[in-house]
Amino acid sequence: ETGVTQTPRHLVMGMTNKKSLKCEQHLGHNAMYWYKQSAKKPLELMFVYNFKEQTENNSVPSRFSPECPNSSHLFLHLHTLQPEDSALYLCASSQYQGDQPQHFGDGTRLSIL
Amino acid sequence: AQKVTQAQTEISVVEKEDVTLDCVYETRDTTYYLFWYKQPPSGELVFLIRRNSFDEQNEISGRYSWNFQKSTSSFNFTITASQVVDSAVYFCALSDYIQGGSEKLVFGKGTKLTVNP
């Protein structure tokens, strides 16, 4: 079992749909992250949660809405997305001490029609 | 602002060759961490190494070695006797602390390594 699990692995949705991405970590970490990986672009941090509190929102459009009900689960709610939002969305977790490495999930490949 | 540059977009080698992936970073922080991650075709980012800015000793782990040089702001990664399984995209990253104590990683664009049999 991998330490960070993301579901679904692949998602195709229309621009008017509402869907959610899920991330679960089994490593006992207390910080969780959402990253976006687009073609030919560096990985971009979207959100950071530390002990369930959001500590970073990297100027992400409101059509992306994160939720962190507890330290083990992180969601990304999607609504009215645009074609340029098609990307690989990666979840990561780490221990609450800035020097600890982040552990990543396999990602959700999102395609917007 | 923090910045990581991986100038090599793609590298192709033949199995058993040695290959070095370059990473140059920019930061105003005196304390920072550098990382290398591997991303195989499956998509997951696999952590390879973390290096503290105060520790300039080179590190070797099996066929992997890292050369950290603060004077040139570089953190290069060498794979010795490359194998087909090393084929992946490799990312260099720099830590950037944010409020609350957690860490934000600034990534380079990645270097795609293809090792041919």
Side-chain angles (χ1 to χ4, degrees):
Chain A
E1 180 183 329
T2 58
V4 180
T5 304
Q6 289 186 243
T7 54
R9 291 297 310 277
H10 301 274
L11 178 61
V12 180
M13 57 187 284
M15 289 192 284
T16 58
N17 291 157
K18 288 184 182 181
K19 296 285 184 184
S20 296
L21 309 185
K22 179 182 176 183
C23 177
E24 184 175 358
Q25 58 98 359
H26 310 279
L27 300 168
H29 292 161
N30 40 44
M32 296 188 77
Y33 312 77
W34 278 117
Y35 286 87
K36 176 183 178 182
Q37 186 177 26
S38 306
K40 298 182 181 179
K41 277 186 163 184
L43 275 112
E44 304 170 69
L45 178 69
M46 299 175 73
F47 301 104
V48 180
Y49 277 82
N50 208 354
F51 290 103
K52 302 187 298 178
E53 298 297 321
Q54 187 179 125
T55 55
E56 178 85 353
N57 177 337
N58 200 24
S59 303
V60 181
S62 59
R63 57 185 184 270
F64 294 92
S65 175
E67 180 190 358
C68 188
N70 54 62
S71 293
S72 299
H73 294 84
L74 184 64
F75 295 89
L76 187 62
H77 303 300
L78 315 172
H79 175 52
T80 320
L81 296 193
Q82 305 298 310
E84 62 265 27
D85 296 324
S86 297
L88 179 68
Y89 289 84
L90 287 158
C91 174
S93 70
S94 71
Q95 197 57 10
Y96 171 76
Q97 283 162 357
D99 63 338
Q100 297 305 305
Q102 294 177 20
H103 295 260
F104 286 79
D106 289 343
T108 294
R109 176 72 61 186
L110 176 65
S111 298
I112 306 300
L113 301 179
Chain B
Q2 316 280 62
K3 185 179 178 183
V4 176
T5 302
Q6 293 180 255
Q8 304 148 309
T9 306
E10 293 191 42
I11 299 176
S12 183
V13 299
V14 176
E15 210 169 13
K16 297 184 183 177
E17 282 186 32
D18 298 347
V19 57
T20 295
L21 310 182
D22 298 331
C23 173
V24 175
Y25 62 92
E26 295 175 30
T27 180
R28 293 180 185 171
D29 294 341
T30 54
T31 301
Y32 52 89
Y33 291 84
L34 293 160
F35 302 79
W36 275 96
Y37 282 85
K38 173 183 179 180
Q39 187 177 39
S42 59
E44 177 188 1
L45 277 164
V46 179
F47 166 73
L48 296 178
I49 189 172
R50 177 187 75 236
R51 172 61 67 199
N52 183 311
S53 56
F54 293 109
D55 183 2
E56 289 194 68
Q57 282 190 343
N58 291 333
E59 180 151 344
I60 299 175
S61 175
R63 295 183 298 106
Y64 295 170
S65 62
W66 290 269
N67 184 348
F68 175 33
Q69 293 198 352
K70 232 172 168 178
S71 59
T72 55
S73 298
S74 66
F75 187 44
N76 297 337
F77 172 31
T78 297
I79 302 175
T80 303
S82 59
Q83 299 176 2
V84 173
V85 294
D86 295 327
S87 297
V89 180
Y90 290 86
F91 291 93
C92 181
L94 172 67
S95 63
D96 184 8
Y97 291 98
I98 56 179
Q99 186 179 4
S102 49
E103 162 194 273
K104 168 182 173 178
L105 289 179
V106 176
F107 285 86
K109 291 187 177 182
T111 297
K112 182 178 180 182
L113 173 65
T114 302
V115 181
N116 298 299

